[in-house]
Amino acid sequence: MNSALEKLLSFFQKPLPKFFFPISCILFVYVVIANSWVTEDAYISFRTVDNFLNGFGLRWNTYERVQAYTHPLWLFGLIVLSFCKIPVYYSSLILSWICVGTTVYLFISRFGKKEGDWQYGSWILLTLLISRAFVDFSSSGLENPLSFLLIILFLSKAFDLEKKVDFRGIFLFFFYLSLSYLNRQDTVLLGLPFLLYLYKPFKERESWGKFIGAAVLGLLPVLFWSIFSLIYYGYLFPNTAYAKLNTDLTVSHLWPYGLDYLENSFRWDIFTSLSISSIILLLPYFVWKKRFLHAATSAGIGLYVLYVCSIGGDFMAGRFFALPFVVCLFLLSEISPSYLPRVSVLFFVALFLLNQNSYLYITKDYTRLRNDKEIQDEKGAYFRSTNLLRSFKFQEYPTHGWADAGRKYKKSPKDPDKACATINVGFYGYFAGENRKIIDSNALTDPLLSKLKSVSNWRVGHFTRNIPVGYLESVTSRQNQIQDPNLKVYYDRLKLLTESQDLFTKERFVEILRENLGGNRYLLLNSEPRTPWVGIPEGFACGLGVGY
């Protein structure tokens, strides 16, 4: 019995055969490309990309400056590729592949240096494929792939600082953290615990001057972007943040939805959820063993998951668990117990290779419409309309009704000066063209609605607002016709920030200061109870279907 057990343990402790590596690479590339798709929400950013390249600036509606994107760094990557005359749909996929490919290269090369041969890193490729969250958001048009790359760069530098602390290392540590912030602000939560870890070595070396100098240089991208954002848009943070966090909803309202999001992940993506949970639960062990870098990584994951739960999770299943899963895998590769590669292959065979519902067997006609309370399988809903493999068959792509409605309007616009409103602005906004004035009832792209409380029948990720009486008429006529007296005053002040032709007037800077310090908040206070959504005002629907 002991002999059999020893043979079994010996088997699992052996490195994987080298022929696994090319097979793993081929599988990984195939699965990532075959599963490439773009979500409707990505087209919100795509419209800003097109408007910028057409000379309108970083705007969503061309008549106003609003940061309708959460990810400046990702957006600029899309702009660079689209500038080379690559359609933005393909630009987003190419940029995703570049980021995912570089992430995997950094993963495997780092593990290979430790093990003596990078071909032993094939288990990393296979483990990534088991995670539905990772595969779903290795494309999608959203910023996740760039977040994967930046967090690996950051963690690699953080772990290297344990061996050597110098000016260059400190600078890169904060520089990668800055880039993560510029790609998506909340991802810095994963790096915050490392600041506590750095305190001790810097104190012992008495190098605070060098530390502060390198840190300031590394954080300059955040400073420069913040200054630009404040001057150009009038705000430090994207409009999407105000739309989703400025809802007049408390954590007690949102926390149950966050727990639902966590529960959904365990049911729809058990491997990802167990991986994340295991690393978080190991935090006391890491502290006990004085493995402070491992503890910082575990704490960062825990902090990020708590944040996700506190904001109610999201409506896209798995989206906010893809990044912490990548961090978990990085930590596992650093710990690298000898049995890990072969155990990973076992999981891969059981959960991926032998699972007929795995993404290995996906087809271009894949559709999986499933909802779990407020949570949706976003990829299942949009994949058939937006996946890469079907794109080569159509001249006009994506093949979605909302995209068709936008194309129809652009070909034969009716009432071109009249504003319209909808709750699905991605496809329609992009394909309707830059001249269409569109009000987003979910407030992601609208600077006025994002400051109002959401309706009572809100949905996570869709914090719809009722449109104030006279607002659509105001946008149409360019004259303030809002009926609420306080809101009318606020809208006039807001237009100075978002529509003023001259960015550098004293009056505008005073208004920026007042707005950001809360001086206009009294104009928005409304003690009336939250009301249900009343729908799009008659005559102002964008025409995407009943209710849209």
Side-chain angles (χ1 to χ4, degrees), residues 111-350:
F111 182 77
K113 283 179 184 177
K114 226 171 18 170
E115 299 299 316
D117 193 330
W118 49 269
Q119 293 187 71
Y120 291 139
S122 54
W123 68 274
I124 294 172
L125 293 167
L126 301 179
T127 306
L128 285 169
L129 293 181
I130 305 172
S131 169
R132 295 187 72 89
F134 175 82
V135 176
D136 279 355
F137 294 98
S138 60
S139 55
S140 83
L142 301 174
E143 74 287 335
N144 294 68
L146 185 51
S147 292
F148 300 156
L149 173 57
L150 293 172
I151 200 65
I152 295 303
L153 287 169
F154 170 79
L155 290 171
S156 298
K157 184 50 58 182
F159 274 68
D160 289 345
L161 284 176
E162 187 177 37
K163 303 169 187 173
K164 183 182 179 182
V165 179
D166 57 11
F167 186 89
R168 182 175 180 273
I170 301 165
F171 164 74
L172 288 175
F173 174 89
F174 283 97
F175 181 68
Y176 293 143
L177 195 62
S178 292
L179 295 185
S180 295
Y181 176 90
L182 294 181
N183 192 52
R184 187 177 174 91
Q185 292 173 357
D186 50 23
T187 59
V188 299
L189 293 171
L190 290 159
L192 285 183
F194 287 91
L195 299 178
L196 297 174
Y197 167 76
L198 286 173
Y199 172 79
K200 185 179 179 182
F202 286 124
K203 184 180 179 182
E204 289 174 352
R205 290 173 175 81
E206 297 181 354
S207 53
W208 279 101
K210 182 187 291 187
F211 167 76
I212 293 171
V216 169
L217 282 177
L219 293 171
L220 281 179
V222 173
L223 177 64
F224 290 151
W225 173 258
S226 298
I227 292 171
F228 168 79
S229 180
L230 196 61
I231 293 173
Y232 187 74
Y233 292 115
Y235 294 94
L236 283 171
F237 305 107
N239 193 71
T240 50
Y242 297 101
K244 293 191 175 185
L245 302 178
N246 184 48
T247 58
D248 201 34
L249 295 167
T250 64
V251 173
S252 61
H253 287 106
L254 297 169
W255 188 259
Y257 295 92
L259 293 179
D260 286 343
Y261 191 65
L262 194 60
E263 181 190 345
N264 168 267
S265 182
F266 273 96
R267 281 190 280 107
W268 287 7
D269 193 3
I270 184 67
F271 183 77
T272 300
S273 305
L274 286 177
S275 301
I276 293 171
S277 303
S278 300
I279 294 298
I280 293 173
L281 291 173
L282 283 172
L283 177 57
Y285 171 78
F286 293 142
V287 174
W288 176 52
K289 288 290 186 178
K290 297 185 178 179
R291 296 182 180 179
F292 296 119
L293 277 172
H294 298 164
T297 309
S298 176
I301 295 169
L303 190 62
Y304 185 79
V305 170
L306 281 174
Y307 163 77
V308 169
C309 290
S310 73
I311 62 170
D314 192 43
F315 67 96
M316 296 188 197
R319 180 187 177 189
F320 287 137
F321 292 131
L323 184 59
F325 173 76
V326 170
V327 177
C328 286
L329 194 56
F330 177 88
L331 184 55
L332 287 172
S333 70
E334 288 296 310
I335 300 169
S336 60
S338 57
Y339 57 82
L340 184 61
R342 295 201 172 214
V343 169
S344 299
V345 172
L346 277 183
F347 276 111
F348 174 78
V349 171

Side-chain angles (χ1 to χ4, degrees), residues 80-140:
V80 169
L81 289 176
S82 300
F83 180 76
C84 301
K85 305 301 180 183
I86 302 171
V88 69
Y89 169 86
Y90 293 109
S91 293
S92 73
L93 295 181
I94 292 169
L95 186 56
S96 296
W97 299 334
I98 290 171
C99 292
V100 169
T102 309
T103 300
V104 167
Y105 168 77
L106 293 172
F107 245 135
I108 292 175
S109 61
R110 185 176 177 88
F111 182 77
K113 283 179 184 177
K114 226 171 18 170
E115 299 299 316
D117 193 330
W118 49 269
Q119 293 187 71
Y120 291 139
S122 54
W123 68 274
I124 294 172
L125 293 167
L126 301 179
T127 306
L128 285 169
L129 293 181
I130 305 172
S131 169
R132 295 187 72 89
F134 175 82
V135 176
D136 279 355
F137 294 98
S138 60
S139 55
S140 83

Side-chain angles (χ1 to χ4, degrees), residues 368-421:
R368 195 174 188 182
L369 299 175
R370 55 176 179 166
N371 292 280
D372 180 11
K373 298 177 183 177
E374 304 291 323
I375 304 156
Q376 175 175 296
D377 183 346
E378 192 79 353
K379 179 181 174 182
Y382 289 108
F383 187 79
R384 191 174 187 279
S385 301
T386 69
N387 74 75
L388 172 71
L389 300 181
R390 285 187 83 239
S391 72
F392 304 118
K393 292 186 175 182
F394 296 90
Q395 200 166 25
E396 292 186 337
Y397 201 73
T399 56
H400 194 281
W402 298 339
D404 291 337
R407 294 185 188 106
K408 182 179 178 182
Y409 174 83
K410 189 173 183 178
K411 288 175 183 175
S412 54
K414 297 179 181 179
D415 299 323
D417 292 327
K418 186 177 181 179
C420 75

